[in-house]
mmCIF file of all heavy atoms in Angstrom:
data_model
loop_
_atom_site.group_PDB
_atom_site.id
_atom_site.type_symbol
_atom_site.label_atom_id
_atom_site.label_comp_id
_atom_site.label_asym_id
_atom_site.label_seq_id
_atom_site.Cartn_x
_atom_site.Cartn_y
_atom_site.Cartn_z
ATOM 1 N N THR A 73 18.874 20.233 23.680
ATOM 2 C CA THR A 73 19.230 19.686 22.474
ATOM 3 C C THR A 73 20.119 18.414 22.651
ATOM 4 O O THR A 73 20.841 18.348 23.622
ATOM 5 C CB THR A 73 19.823 20.625 21.415
ATOM 6 O OG1 THR A 73 20.997 21.221 22.151
ATOM 7 C CG2 THR A 73 18.956 21.715 21.080
ATOM 8 N N PRO A 74 20.064 17.427 21.737
ATOM 9 C CA PRO A 74 20.841 16.334 21.914
ATOM 10 C C PRO A 74 22.331 16.413 21.384
ATOM 11 O O PRO A 74 23.084 15.456 21.323
ATOM 12 C CB PRO A 74 20.109 15.283 20.912
ATOM 13 C CG PRO A 74 19.567 16.122 19.783
ATOM 14 C CD PRO A 74 19.159 17.331 20.554
ATOM 15 N N TRP A 75 22.674 17.707 21.288
ATOM 16 C CA TRP A 75 24.175 17.840 20.966
ATOM 17 C C TRP A 75 25.052 17.407 21.942
ATOM 18 O O TRP A 75 24.754 17.311 23.239
ATOM 19 C CB TRP A 75 24.487 19.311 20.694
ATOM 20 C CG TRP A 75 23.754 19.926 19.594
ATOM 21 C CD1 TRP A 75 23.096 19.326 18.532
ATOM 22 C CD2 TRP A 75 23.211 21.227 19.473
ATOM 23 N NE1 TRP A 75 22.330 20.132 17.669
ATOM 24 C CE2 TRP A 75 22.437 21.398 18.316
ATOM 25 C CE3 TRP A 75 23.403 22.387 20.214
ATOM 26 C CZ2 TRP A 75 21.863 22.581 17.933
ATOM 27 C CZ3 TRP A 75 22.829 23.570 19.863
ATOM 28 C CH2 TRP A 75 22.039 23.673 18.565
ATOM 29 N N PRO A 76 26.210 16.992 21.699
ATOM 30 C CA PRO A 76 27.206 16.492 22.758
ATOM 31 C C PRO A 76 27.912 17.586 23.551
ATOM 32 O O PRO A 76 29.078 17.914 23.266
ATOM 33 C CB PRO A 76 28.252 15.807 21.944
ATOM 34 C CG PRO A 76 28.289 16.355 20.539
ATOM 35 C CD PRO A 76 26.781 16.835 20.284
ATOM 36 N N THR A 77 26.972 18.382 24.195
ATOM 37 C CA THR A 77 27.534 19.398 24.999
ATOM 38 C C THR A 77 27.672 19.301 26.500
ATOM 39 O O THR A 77 27.572 20.118 27.330
ATOM 40 C CB THR A 77 26.581 20.660 24.779
ATOM 41 O OG1 THR A 77 25.257 20.140 25.268
ATOM 42 C CG2 THR A 77 26.464 21.126 23.338
ATOM 43 N N ARG A 78 27.683 17.926 26.885
ATOM 44 C CA ARG A 78 27.833 17.576 28.363
ATOM 45 C C ARG A 78 29.288 17.262 28.626
ATOM 46 O O ARG A 78 29.754 16.526 27.966
ATOM 47 C CB ARG A 78 26.861 16.634 28.778
ATOM 48 C CG ARG A 78 25.350 16.911 28.481
ATOM 49 C CD ARG A 78 24.823 18.108 29.200
ATOM 50 N NE ARG A 78 23.488 18.259 28.915
ATOM 51 C CZ ARG A 78 22.980 18.834 27.799
ATOM 52 N NH1 ARG A 78 23.691 19.272 26.830
ATOM 53 N NH2 ARG A 78 21.633 18.982 27.653
ATOM 54 N N PRO A 79 29.892 17.730 29.617
ATOM 55 C CA PRO A 79 29.384 18.750 30.563
ATOM 56 C C PRO A 79 29.436 20.137 29.903
ATOM 57 O O PRO A 79 30.196 20.340 28.880
ATOM 58 C CB PRO A 79 30.268 18.688 31.707
ATOM 59 C CG PRO A 79 31.602 18.188 31.168
ATOM 60 C CD PRO A 79 31.248 17.212 30.031
ATOM 61 N N ILE A 80 28.798 21.022 30.366
ATOM 62 C CA ILE A 80 28.768 22.467 29.809
ATOM 63 C C ILE A 80 30.109 23.047 30.412
ATOM 64 O O ILE A 80 30.210 23.238 31.766
ATOM 65 C CB ILE A 80 27.508 23.228 30.335
ATOM 66 C CG1 ILE A 80 26.264 22.716 29.624
ATOM 67 C CG2 ILE A 80 27.630 24.650 29.838
ATOM 68 C CD1 ILE A 80 24.903 23.139 30.017
ATOM 69 N N THR A 81 30.896 23.425 29.539
ATOM 70 C CA THR A 81 32.155 23.936 30.051
ATOM 71 C C THR A 81 32.440 25.383 29.410
ATOM 72 O O THR A 81 31.585 25.808 28.566
ATOM 73 C CB THR A 81 33.446 23.089 29.405
ATOM 74 O OG1 THR A 81 33.309 23.066 27.987
ATOM 75 C CG2 THR A 81 33.173 21.636 29.953
ATOM 76 N N PHE A 82 33.397 26.089 29.789
ATOM 77 C CA PHE A 82 33.685 27.422 29.272
ATOM 78 C C PHE A 82 33.849 27.287 27.782
ATOM 79 O O PHE A 82 33.625 28.194 26.991
ATOM 80 C CB PHE A 82 34.769 28.085 30.015
ATOM 81 C CG PHE A 82 34.555 28.378 31.373
ATOM 82 C CD1 PHE A 82 35.102 27.745 32.428
ATOM 83 C CD2 PHE A 82 33.638 29.509 31.656
ATOM 84 C CE1 PHE A 82 34.772 28.073 33.845
ATOM 85 C CE2 PHE A 82 33.302 29.886 32.911
ATOM 86 C CZ PHE A 82 33.857 29.195 33.875
ATOM 87 N N ILE A 83 34.694 26.200 27.403
ATOM 88 C CA ILE A 83 35.095 26.062 25.915
ATOM 89 C C ILE A 83 33.713 25.951 25.112
ATOM 90 O O ILE A 83 33.496 26.497 24.036
ATOM 91 C CB ILE A 83 35.951 24.909 25.693
ATOM 92 C CG1 ILE A 83 37.335 25.119 26.446
ATOM 93 C CG2 ILE A 83 36.151 24.610 24.209
ATOM 94 C CD1 ILE A 83 38.084 26.247 25.942
ATOM 95 N N VAL A 84 32.732 25.026 25.588
ATOM 96 C CA VAL A 84 31.597 24.838 24.955
ATOM 97 C C VAL A 84 30.813 26.112 24.885
ATOM 98 O O VAL A 84 30.148 26.405 23.782
ATOM 99 C CB VAL A 84 30.686 23.736 25.642
ATOM 100 C CG1 VAL A 84 29.268 23.740 25.212
ATOM 101 C CG2 VAL A 84 31.334 22.387 25.529
ATOM 102 N N LEU A 85 30.703 26.832 25.914
ATOM 103 C CA LEU A 85 29.890 28.101 25.880
ATOM 104 C C LEU A 85 30.646 29.125 25.007
ATOM 105 O O LEU A 85 29.949 29.906 24.288
ATOM 106 C CB LEU A 85 29.777 28.598 27.236
ATOM 107 C CG LEU A 85 28.889 27.743 28.188
ATOM 108 C CD1 LEU A 85 29.055 28.339 29.666
ATOM 109 C CD2 LEU A 85 27.402 27.888 27.662
ATOM 110 N N ALA A 86 31.984 29.230 25.016
ATOM 111 C CA ALA A 86 32.526 30.103 24.051
ATOM 112 C C ALA A 86 32.285 29.884 22.624
ATOM 113 O O ALA A 86 31.959 30.787 21.885
ATOM 114 C CB ALA A 86 34.119 30.127 24.331
ATOM 115 N N ILE A 87 32.453 28.599 22.179
ATOM 116 C CA ILE A 87 32.207 28.252 20.975
ATOM 117 C C ILE A 87 30.714 28.523 20.508
ATOM 118 O O ILE A 87 30.448 29.048 19.392
ATOM 119 C CB ILE A 87 32.505 26.795 20.555
ATOM 120 C CG1 ILE A 87 34.001 26.551 20.731
ATOM 121 C CG2 ILE A 87 32.007 26.227 19.273
ATOM 122 C CD1 ILE A 87 34.484 25.060 20.846
ATOM 123 N N TYR A 88 29.851 28.130 21.403
ATOM 124 C CA TYR A 88 28.405 28.426 21.216
ATOM 125 C C TYR A 88 28.083 29.940 20.929
ATOM 126 O O TYR A 88 27.381 30.256 20.110
ATOM 127 C CB TYR A 88 27.648 27.749 22.272
ATOM 128 C CG TYR A 88 26.071 27.842 22.279
ATOM 129 C CD1 TYR A 88 25.398 27.421 21.271
ATOM 130 C CD2 TYR A 88 25.432 28.330 23.388
ATOM 131 C CE1 TYR A 88 24.048 27.386 21.153
ATOM 132 C CE2 TYR A 88 24.031 28.423 23.404
ATOM 133 C CZ TYR A 88 23.364 27.907 22.263
ATOM 134 O OH TYR A 88 21.921 27.907 22.262
ATOM 135 N N GLY A 89 28.676 30.734 21.778
ATOM 136 C CA GLY A 89 28.539 32.124 21.717
ATOM 137 C C GLY A 89 29.010 32.717 20.347
ATOM 138 O O GLY A 89 28.420 33.526 19.775
ATOM 139 N N VAL A 90 30.288 32.113 19.983
ATOM 140 C CA VAL A 90 30.702 32.626 18.674
ATOM 141 C C VAL A 90 29.847 32.199 17.462
ATOM 142 O O VAL A 90 29.483 32.896 16.575
ATOM 143 C CB VAL A 90 32.145 32.099 18.447
ATOM 144 C CG1 VAL A 90 32.726 32.275 17.103
ATOM 145 C CG2 VAL A 90 33.114 32.782 19.468
#
Side-chain angles (χ1 to χ4, degrees):
T73 55
W75 301 333
T77 56
R78 305 298 182 277
I80 295 173
T81 64
F82 290 109
I83 299 293
V84 167
L85 291 172
I87 293 168
Y88 185 50
V90 168

